[in-house]
Amino acid sequence: MLAEPLFIVLSTAAVIGALGMLISRNPVAGALWLILTLFCVAGLYLTLSAEFIAVVQVLVYAGAIMVLFLFVIMLLNLGSLPLMEKMDWKKGLAFALCLIVLTQLVFVVATGLEMLPAETGIAADAGSASTIAKSLFTRHMLEFEVIGVLLLVATVGAVMLAKRNFV
Amino acid sequence: MEVALSWYLTLSAVLFVIGVAGVLFRSNLIVILMSVELMLNAANVALVALSQSMGEVSGQVLVFFVMSVAAAEAAIGLAIVIAIFRNKLTVDINNINLFKW
């Protein structure tokens, strides 16, 4: 009913945002394009009825990570860098590599679909916070603790690296 | 599910390849980090689509972990960018080739 046109609009906007990040000269403009993509991906999670992940996507990616990126871009006061440089054969090689990766991924998607187990359909509360929390705090408890330690280490490491007289 | 699973997987592949192109083509260190974030997002789309299609919640728990690792990676990466900028006064990777012989 509504999900199909919504998917088309959101996925088109997500791809446009990603391409805009790819070709924009100014890093601030690139970050803003990427924020558009992240919001569209959050909308796609909603079309999959994964509400918790959609909210976390907006909070963590669009809220925290992109603010960090914009803060660093403005702190360093970067001008626009030139988009295309010399070394044509390297760019050609990179373009060929991108095409190969895309072909491979689409080929895997196209040929591997029948190997998947049958679709069971989305349960009513498959993406709700309580369902995910139940799995997170029982079956994946150890990973959850390890992620906490990882974030602590990352915080300490970021402060150490960004200190003035570290290197 | 109204929208077929293969559409989500194809969208994920396209977003991932745009991220790969960003890493390969651009020479701005911050744009490269943003492209890595885009690739992580593309993987998340595939994980959530497969998880909801199979009725298995572990995929979404994995997406939660990927987001935490992405946050840690962004913080560390940007701290490294600041440290490099302080020494070299640039974030252009063509001028940061310490390991090139």
Side-chain angles (χ1 to χ4, degrees), chain B residues 10-87:
Chain B
T10 309
L11 172 72
S12 160
V14 169
L15 286 180
F16 186 86
V17 169
I18 293 175
V20 171
V23 171
L24 289 177
F25 281 104
R26 301 301 302 268
S27 64
N28 189 332
L29 206 46
I30 293 180
V31 178
I32 289 178
L33 274 177
M34 288 198 287
S35 302
V36 173
E37 298 291 333
L38 182 62
M39 283 195 272
L40 287 169
N41 250 284
N44 282 352
V45 171
L47 277 173
V48 171
L50 284 168
S51 149
Q52 291 292 62
S53 130
M54 294 179 190
E56 167 69 54
V57 80
S58 287
Q60 295 179 54
V61 176
L62 195 54
V63 168
F64 186 76
F65 292 147
V66 169
M67 281 177 179
S68 317
V69 173
E73 173 251 324
I76 294 291
L78 289 171
I80 292 174
V81 168
I82 289 177
I84 288 175
F85 186 81
R86 195 167 281 145
N87 285 331

Side-chain angles (χ1 to χ4, degrees), chain A residues 77-97:
Chain A
N77 194 15
L78 300 174
S80 295
L81 286 171
L83 178 61
M84 283 297 166
E85 298 84 18
K86 45 200 182 298
M87 304 179 298
D88 284 331
W89 66 273
K90 280 185 186 170
K91 297 292 170 195
L93 197 65
F95 190 70
L97 195 59

Side-chain angles (χ1 to χ4, degrees), chain A:
Chain A
M1 39 180 219
L2 194 61
E4 198 153 324
L6 206 58
F7 172 83
I8 292 172
V9 169
L10 285 173
S11 58
T12 312
V15 172
I16 286 173
L19 286 175
M21 185 203 70
L22 184 61
I23 64 176
S24 67
R25 290 175 152 241
N26 194 339
V28 177
L32 293 178
W33 279 114
L34 186 58
I35 289 174
L36 169 69
T37 299
L38 296 177
F39 270 112
C40 291
V41 170
L44 286 167
Y45 290 156
L46 283 181
T47 66
L48 282 164
S49 72
E51 298 95 6
F52 175 72
I53 295 294
V55 170
V56 171
Q57 166 94 3
V58 171
L59 279 180
V60 172
Y61 268 109
I65 295 182
M66 291 319 290
V67 167
L68 194 62
F69 270 101
L70 284 174
F71 180 74
V72 169
I73 291 171
M74 290 171 182
L75 181 74
L76 299 185
N77 194 15
L78 300 174
S80 295
L81 286 171
L83 178 61
M84 283 297 166
E85 298 84 18
K86 45 200 182 298
M87 304 179 298
D88 284 331
W89 66 273
K90 280 185 186 170
K91 297 292 170 195
L93 197 65
F95 190 70
L97 195 59
C98 288
L99 280 184
I100 289 170
V101 172
L102 180 63
T103 319
Q104 188 181 12
L105 285 174
V106 172
F107 178 75
V108 167
V109 168
T111 58
L113 270 182
E114 62 265 21
M115 285 191 289
L116 290 173
E119 298 189 4
T120 55
I122 302 175
D125 60 343
S128 70
S130 64
T131 315
I132 294 175
K134 204 173 286 174
S135 177
L136 194 61
F137 287 115
T138 54
R139 209 172 132 197
H140 301 278
M141 191 64 210
L142 177 66
E143 295 94 320
F144 187 70
E145 306 266 353
V146 171
I147 282 290
V149 175
L150 176 78
L151 285 175
L152 174 69
V153 172
T155 313
V156 175
V159 173
M160 277 293 295
L161 281 171
K163 261 170 73 174
R164 184 161 292 278
N165 48 11
F166 176 64
V167 274

